[in-house]
Amino acid sequence: MEAVAEPGNLAGVRHIILILSGKGGVGKSTISTELALALRHAGKKGDPYMPCRHPGSLQVGILDVDLCGPSIPRMLQAQGRAVHQCDSGWVPVFVDQEQKVSLMSVGFLLEKPDEAVVWRGPKKNALIKQFVSDVAWGQLDYLVVDTPPGTSDEHMAAVEALRPYSPLGAIVVTTPQAVSVGDVRRELTFCRKTGLRVIGIVENMSGFVCPHCTALCPWTPSSRGAWRRAETLSKSSPTALPFTHSPP
Amino acid sequence: MTCTDHQGENALTDCPGTGSAQAGRGTACQGCPNQRLCASGAGEAPDPAIEEIKEKMKTVKHKILVLSGKGGVGKSTFSAHLAHALAEDENTQVALLDIDICGPSIPKIMGLEGEQVHQSGSGWSPVFLEDNLGVMSVGFLLSSPDDAVIWRGPKKNGMIKQFLRDVDWGEVDYLIVDTPPGTSDEHLSVVQYLAAAHIDGAVIITTPQEVSLQDVRKEISFCHKVKLPIIGVVENMSGFVCPKCKKESQIFPPTTGGAETMCQDLKIPLLGKVPLDPHIGKSCDEGRSFLVDTPDSPATVAYRSIIQRIQEYCSLHRPEEERTSLVPETRGDMDASSTASAS
């Protein structure tokens, strides 16, 4: 199906970035959150690499399409917030006082925090489409889309729904061990097959900084052979991020 | 939460539920894309595969699911080492089934990457690591490690059905089922297809931090909802000993009390805590048993204690007395009743 940009709730969004990983627990949600917060503070006047409407602060949205394990509300201390409606649809939840960072997650739609979303694929697809078309995102410089691990319903639904808005691409997250890199290779194949550009790879948890002696320790082996293959597939070199503090 | 195909301000509240007698017939159903399907009752008839799988599973004594709402907590690592440990007794027949269709880690962790599945007159043959340890994974069906399984739910469900119905496991003492994170198609399917065959219980894996526990509570809700017994919870990556200064620190701090507090609150057994040992990752990457590679590690001691408790649970289990119906909704999603709370 040819992607055609239609006016809609994403018409005011300048750049869309998906955060993907074939592997669970590598830090997608953490990186999505940290990226969104970093972007919110980025953007100096005249900066050609970070053009924005209001220099000094960008307007950033986060779309959490991990329906079974929505982590972002907790990471941004926004649990329990209510989602309101307006003429254009659902109003995303602002997580900061300045209202520069907005968030939509199924976590806001659950009656209780421990409520399990036990849905099969078609129902998940329907909600993701609603998150894309029925959330009044307004004017955003960046929309960061956090995804669950894998290459299945949520990912296909998100890519299909976002395709008309020409996403910038995907950041693929992994950890050093071969088991993670193996899943990431599959995710890179998913990106290639769906025509999603890979902005780059992030190797998260690439080491642990001991709080007692400040030594940088490998907490898991790094599979250099697998990395070389991932670099070939993505045509980019991974960026390594060590553990430097406790995750939320 | 219910059918989300409705538009308008009453979305998420008026759907009677796809399993309801009013499904497709209520006022709220008018205009719903699923209305015709619900009204036809097409989803009511049980899948014949459930009975076929029940027959197949008669040669399997104990079935254990390894679950977690959270990804990356060590489900596959635990499943693999549970299988290794049980198979150390050559008189115990062990089967390891990997139903993580999109991210099949088991072949790598078991050192079986590149192996192929063969067919015989009695079905698919699992890949045998030892004479008494057979393994099945979609990873064995892929022609390249880069192949992505980009499948929607129904196709994944079909694969799981085939794994349970068409694999010739033979006489098995323990069938261990490794699952992907979440509470979705794969989890619903494996519970539904094994409904008549009876599952001993689920081992739920978590790490200490609240972000994991949050998802694990949902998994526990799922287990309660589908009446799946919970053998207990394993807290993985519980403490890290710095190889330089030997002091312990928490990579994933238990800011809300960790699995111990969660288990006390939900009255579920905590099977044990496994510290983070870098050698675990090394053994997994190289396809070897960490329990054999590093027998003196505190992590090995913890694993063995947990595995012994699982064996004790299974040996005390009496299927005839404790058999309960595990058949949830057989059509489509579990809707109006499909969100469950752990509390």
Side-chain angles (χ1 to χ4, degrees):
Chain A
M1 180 170 70
E2 268 305 306
V4 176
E6 297 174 0
N9 277 323
L10 286 186
V13 177
R14 297 184 76 180
H15 303 297
I16 299 172
I17 301 173
L18 285 86
I19 311 294
L20 302 175
S21 179
K23 187 82 180 69
V26 297
K28 290 180 293 305
S29 298
T30 303
I31 284 177
S32 297
T33 304
E34 300 294 336
L35 175 63
L37 294 174
L39 286 170
R40 176 250 185 275
H41 292 289
K44 303 275 187 284
K45 189 172 180 178
D47 182 345
Y49 297 106
M50 196 67 76
C52 61
R53 295 186 181 88
H54 305 289
S57 122
L58 301 188
Q59 201 75 26
V60 182
I62 309 173
L63 172 56
D64 177 4
V65 301
D66 187 345
L67 304 184
C68 294
S71 309
I72 310 249
R74 180 178 174 84
M75 289 185 177
L76 290 169
Q77 297 179 315
Q79 309 100 292
R81 301 278 294 277
V83 170
H84 302 286
Q85 286 210 327
C86 66
D87 290 341
S88 310
W90 291 338
V91 180
V93 173
F94 286 103
V95 300
D96 59 330
Q97 281 194 334
E98 298 84 3
Q99 297 198 339
K100 294 293 183 189
V101 182
S102 55
L103 167 64
M104 180 52 70
S105 168
V106 77
F108 297 133
L109 306 178
L110 302 175
E111 287 172 9
K112 293 178 186 173
D114 296 342
E115 200 173 323
V117 175
V118 187
W119 290 354
R120 290 194 184 270
K123 203 160 175 177
K124 293 194 283 186
N125 298 343
L127 185 60
I128 289 169
K129 283 180 192 159
Q130 274 194 277
F131 276 170
V132 170
S133 63
D134 295 347
V135 172
W137 292 104
Q139 304 290 318
L140 291 180
D141 293 287
Y142 287 91
L143 177 65
V144 177
V145 182
D146 184 33
T147 64
T151 52
S152 189
D153 291 272
E154 295 91 329
H155 313 85
M156 285 188 265
V159 170
E160 280 171 20
L162 294 170
R163 197 187 299 280
Y165 303 97
S166 303
L168 205 59
I171 292 174
V172 181
V173 185
T174 184
T175 52
Q177 68 264 52
V179 166
S180 288
V181 180
D183 282 348
V184 162
R185 286 163 66 176
R186 286 185 268 266
E187 197 73 23
L188 294 172
T189 301
F190 169 83
C191 292
R192 183 169 48 80
K193 288 194 170 181
T194 55
L196 193 57
R197 186 170 80 97
V198 176
I199 298 170
I201 299 177
V202 172
E203 180 190 88
N204 201 15
M205 310 186 201
S206 66
F208 177 65
V209 179
C210 175
H212 300 290
C213 67
T214 70
L216 179 63
C217 313
W219 69 284
T220 189
S222 180
S223 173
R224 297 313 333 167
W227 261 130
R228 282 194 288 275
R229 181 74 185 130
E231 284 179 289
T232 306
L233 282 174
S234 72
K235 298 182 175 51
S236 67
S237 295
T239 300
L241 292 179
F243 268 121
T244 55
H245 63 278
S246 304
Chain B
M1 294 179 78
T2 56
C3 177
T4 58
D5 289 336
H6 291 295
Q7 301 300 313
E9 63 182 26
N10 290 326
L12 306 181
T13 59
D14 284 354
C15 172
T18 60
S20 155
Q22 286 303 307
R25 299 178 176 90
T27 311
C29 301
Q30 302 300 323
C32 175
N34 289 332
Q35 182 186 15
R36 199 163 58 164
L37 178 66
C38 290
S40 71
E44 278 177 349
D47 190 331
I50 293 176
E51 276 302 309
E52 293 172 294
I53 291 168
K54 178 186 172 185
E55 281 304 304
K56 199 80 180 202
M57 289 289 134
K58 279 185 174 169
T59 58
V60 178
K61 278 192 197 152
H62 300 291
K63 303 159 208 73
I64 300 168
L65 300 193
V66 181
L67 303 174
S68 180
K70 187 81 179 71
V73 296
K75 290 180 292 306
S76 299
T77 302
F78 185 82
S79 300
H81 287 86
L82 176 58
H84 276 305
L86 293 171
E88 284 173 1
D89 174 1
E90 58 187 26
N91 295 317
T92 302
Q93 296 295 320
V94 182
L96 177 57
L97 172 59
D98 177 7
I99 63 166
D100 188 343
I101 308 291
C102 294
S105 308
I106 293 288
K108 178 147 203 80
I109 296 174
M110 300 298 281
L112 295 172
E113 261 191 328
E115 294 286 340
Q116 298 285 305
V117 167
H118 301 285
Q119 276 206 321
S120 69
S122 45
W124 288 355
S125 299
V127 175
F128 283 92
L129 179 66
E130 308 285 350
D131 288 343
N132 66 332
L133 176 48
V135 182
M136 179 55 69
S137 168
V138 79
F140 298 137
L141 306 176
L142 303 175
S143 50
S144 156
D146 296 338
D147 281 352
V149 180
I150 309 174
W151 290 356
R152 292 189 188 274
K155 205 161 173 180
K156 291 193 285 186
N157 301 337
M159 182 91 270
I160 291 167
K161 187 195 303 191
Q162 278 195 277
F163 279 160
L164 293 170
R165 186 189 59 198
D166 299 340
V167 172
D168 181 20
W169 294 107
E171 299 281 337
V172 169
D173 294 290
Y174 292 93
L175 171 65
I176 300 156
V177 183
D178 183 37
T179 65
T183 51
S184 191
D185 286 272
E186 296 89 332
H187 313 86
L188 281 167
S189 291
V190 75
V191 169
Q192 284 180 346
Y193 289 131
L194 287 175
H198 192 71
I199 305 170
D200 288 58
V203 175
I204 301 183
I205 314 291
T206 185
T207 47
Q209 77 273 37
E210 177 57 25
V211 162
S212 285
L213 298 175
Q214 185 177 256
D215 287 349
V216 164
R217 288 191 200 96
K218 295 182 202 293
E219 197 74 22
I220 292 169
S221 295
F222 167 82
C223 291
H224 290 326
K225 179 61 200 168
V226 299
K227 298 186 178 61
L228 178 59
I230 297 174
I231 300 174
V233 171
V234 173
E235 183 183 89
N236 205 9
M237 306 189 202
S238 191
F240 175 74
V241 177
C242 175
K244 298 260 167 40
C245 70
K246 309 299 179 197
K247 290 188 179 162
E248 184 171 333
S249 49
Q250 299 282 351
I251 291 187
F252 303 108
T255 54
T256 56
E260 195 160 351
T261 300
M262 180 189 72
C263 288
Q264 281 169 1
D265 291 344
L266 300 179
K267 298 183 176 47
I268 289 169
L270 176 65
L271 295 174
K273 298 183 186 183
V274 183
L276 183 54
D277 185 330
H279 295 102
I280 297 177
K282 188 171 191 298
S283 296
C284 287
D285 277 0
E286 295 172 6
R288 296 193 311 274
S289 168
F290 163 76
L291 306 176
V292 169
D293 280 356
T294 322
D296 299 325
S297 163
T300 300
V301 172
Y303 261 122
R304 290 204 180 276
S305 163
I306 290 166
I307 290 165
Q308 187 174 352
R309 288 188 67 177
I310 293 171
Q311 284 179 283
E312 286 165 2
Y313 174 94
C314 289
S315 67
L316 290 172
H317 176 71
R318 290 179 171 78
E320 296 81 17
E321 292 169 5
E322 295 174 18
R323 188 180 298 264
T324 55
S325 171
L326 288 180
V327 181
E329 317 277 333
T330 52
R331 71 164 108 188
D333 297 348
M334 297 167 66
D335 302 293
S337 54
S338 73
T339 55
S341 173
S343 55

